[in-house]
Each structure stands twice: as structure tokens, then as C-alpha cells.
Amino acid sequence: MTQAPSPASVEFRRVAQQLRDDVHGGTYQPGERLPSAAELANQMGSNRSAVERAIRLVASEGLVTTRKGSGAFVSRILKRVTRHTTSLLRKRSSPEADANREALEAQLQGMGLVPRYFLNVRKEQAPEVVTELLGLKRSGENVLVREERVYAAAADASPTDPGTPVQLTTTYLPLDIAGGTALEHQDPGPLGVHGRLAELGHRPSEFTETIEVRPPRDDEAEFLEIDADNRVVQLTQTSAAAGRIVEIALCVLPAHLWSFSYQWTTDA
């Protein structure tokens, strides 16, 4: 026999739905701080416990973010960013095209947003799984790492406002290929990473992509401004040239913000 939901469960779900309706209906604008739990409880004719539980639920859905000591804020981006894999595959036919960046910029521009990139380039010893995939020695510096943090800002946002974090990508390149080349520069130039690899005689022509949904690590949650109850999508992309993997990119995306579109045809 099915047990009826407890009154407390019914109440917090009612409050959660009211919060969803208020956010989507414009009562609270993107980026706006929500009233305190006590104030919301009073406004909704509820209790503080139900409100706090409801806020945790809608935070896990990505509608709001909570900041320790500051309260809860409506997420600044409420629409999903769609990643169209079909267009990525077409663009990869040209080594000069940075397909991921072009696709992201086009999608954000359609939402009235512009991407802002912050890149860190360094040499280090790769994690064990990356070392194995790249077939590298296990001691000492063996990869060039290009770690890129991507934000989306309103087109008219102040230059001092980076916007909302939307993507964290860590790219690993074998040091015996990338060391001492333009790939060590913050900006590899118009050719992009794949174009530079092609210039070095390692044009990527084989690609794989694995998708995993998982809880965020603490550093990922902090950068992406999400709660520990949220989930992230990790895209592990490998690029190979003449049978050798020459690039591994780990792309971490907040799951509530992204959707993925795939298209294929079959023989008639």
C-alpha cells in the first residue's frame, strides 16, 4: 500500500513550485537576491524549514545559487545553451576551425550573450589516466596544459564583469609535440590548437567523445557557482593523428545549463 506524502513534504514542494513560478514569471529577476528564508516563509504563509528545503531543491535544479553568508540569488542565465554536435563534426573537417569555440560563440550570441575567456597555460605531469591515453612516460613534466575558463556576459556588460561561468576546459597536449611551440602561448593565433597541431605534422583526423554526468568537485562547484547537489557534464574529447592521440580535452559544464543535440542519417 502506497504511503501518503507527509504534510512537511507536501509543503516544501509547494514552496519550491512557487519559487519556480516566481523566477520564471519575473517576480525575481536573473541575478537578484532572494528575500531571506524568514521573509519568504512569511510571504508564502509557510515555515522557514520548508523554505530552506525548497531553496536547496531549486538550487540543485540550477534556478538559484546559494552563497555562504550572502543568501540565495537567481541564476543569471535561465535558458539552456544547446551544443549541436552535428555542426561540430562538419567544422572539424578544417583543421583551422576551432569548432567548439565557434559553436559556443554562435549559441551565446543568439541568447544576447558574449563569451569571455580566461586561459592559463602550464607544463606539468599529467594525471595517470591522461598519461596512459597519451602513451607518455610516468615521471616528470610530460604535458602542456591549456586550462580555459569561459564566462557568458550580457552584450552590454561592463568589461569588469566577467559574467556567468559556463564552461571549464582542461586540454592536455604531449610535451614532446607541443613544447617550445606556439601552443605554449596564451593565444596560439588564428590557426587555433588543431591548426597548430596540423602545422607541426600532427593534423587531428580521428575524434572520440565520451559524456559522463557526475557530482562536481569542490573546485569545479566553486568556479561554476553551483551547489554540491548540482551535477556537471564532463565531455572527454580525444583527437588522434595517424593513430596517435595528440590531444585530450576534459570539458566540464553545469548540467542544468546545457543540452545536447545530435543528428544523423541512415541509408534509405
Side-chain angles (χ1 to χ4, degrees):
M1 188 173 183
T2 304
Q3 187 175 8
S6 68
S9 177
V10 171
E11 177 59 12
F12 105 83
R13 292 185 185 283
R14 179 190 74 81
V15 174
Q17 187 57 51
Q18 183 62 56
L19 286 172
R20 294 186 192 100
D21 293 343
D22 287 346
V23 169
H24 289 301
T27 301
Y28 302 114
Q29 296 296 312
E32 182 179 350
R33 184 183 185 278
L34 293 180
S36 68
E39 291 171 323
L40 285 171
N42 184 57
Q43 293 174 13
M44 296 181 176
S46 187
N47 60 79
R48 183 167 180 166
S49 176
V51 170
E52 290 175 342
R53 191 176 174 190
I55 289 175
R56 289 196 297 272
L57 177 60
V58 296
S60 73
E61 298 167 353
L63 283 181
V64 304
T65 58
T66 56
R67 303 174 195 169
K68 203 171 201 179
S70 300
F73 295 78
V74 179
S75 297
R76 294 203 285 179
I77 300 178
L78 297 176
K79 293 182 179 180
R80 283 181 176 264
V81 183
T82 301
R83 185 174 183 274
H84 296 280
T85 302
T86 305
S87 64
L88 294 181
L89 294 175
R90 282 199 298 266
K91 288 178 180 178
R92 276 192 173 135
S93 63
S94 168
E96 289 77 19
D98 187 335
N100 288 297
R101 178 169 291 199
E102 288 182 10
L104 175 62
E105 290 178 351
Q107 181 65 23
L108 292 179
Q109 287 168 5
M111 299 168 64
L113 302 168
V114 293
R116 291 183 175 170
Y117 305 97
F118 297 85
L119 183 67
N120 174 265
V121 182
R122 61 186 184 272
K123 299 175 183 177
E124 65 179 36
Q125 183 176 349
E128 185 174 351
V129 63
V130 173
T131 296
E132 289 181 359
L133 285 171
L134 292 176
L136 303 174
K137 295 181 179 179
R138 296 179 180 274
S139 60
E141 293 179 345
N142 55 10
V143 289
L144 181 70
V145 180
R146 297 179 60 86
E147 183 180 77
E148 185 173 66
R149 300 186 174 216
V150 184
Y151 296 77
D156 58 354
S158 164
T160 59
D161 176 14
T164 300
V166 296
Q167 181 174 300
L168 172 64
T169 301
T170 306
T171 300
Y172 298 94
L173 301 161
L175 199 55
D176 63 296
I177 292 176
T181 74
L183 289 167
E184 289 193 10
H185 302 161
Q186 289 283 326
D187 182 0
L191 290 179
V193 171
H194 284 186
R196 288 298 182 187
L197 285 171
E199 187 179 59
L200 295 168
H202 300 278
R203 175 180 178 176
S205 58
E206 306 164 41
F207 306 94
T208 65
E209 182 172 277
T210 303
I211 300 179
E212 173 190 0
V213 179
R214 59 172 176 77
R217 298 195 313 259
D218 289 345
D219 61 315
E220 294 168 344
E222 181 179 3
F223 165 64
L224 294 171
E225 298 179 359
I226 58 177
D227 295 276
D229 291 335
N230 285 77
R231 292 292 181 268
V232 294
V233 176
Q234 178 178 296
L235 304 179
T236 302
Q237 304 167 332
T238 66
S239 304
R244 179 186 177 181
I245 296 177
V246 294
E247 177 195 43
I248 296 176
L250 305 181
C251 185
V252 178
L253 315 163
H256 72 274
L257 189 58
W258 287 80
S259 63
F260 301 84
S261 175
Y262 296 87
Q263 180 181 351
W264 60 90
T265 60
T266 60
D267 294 334

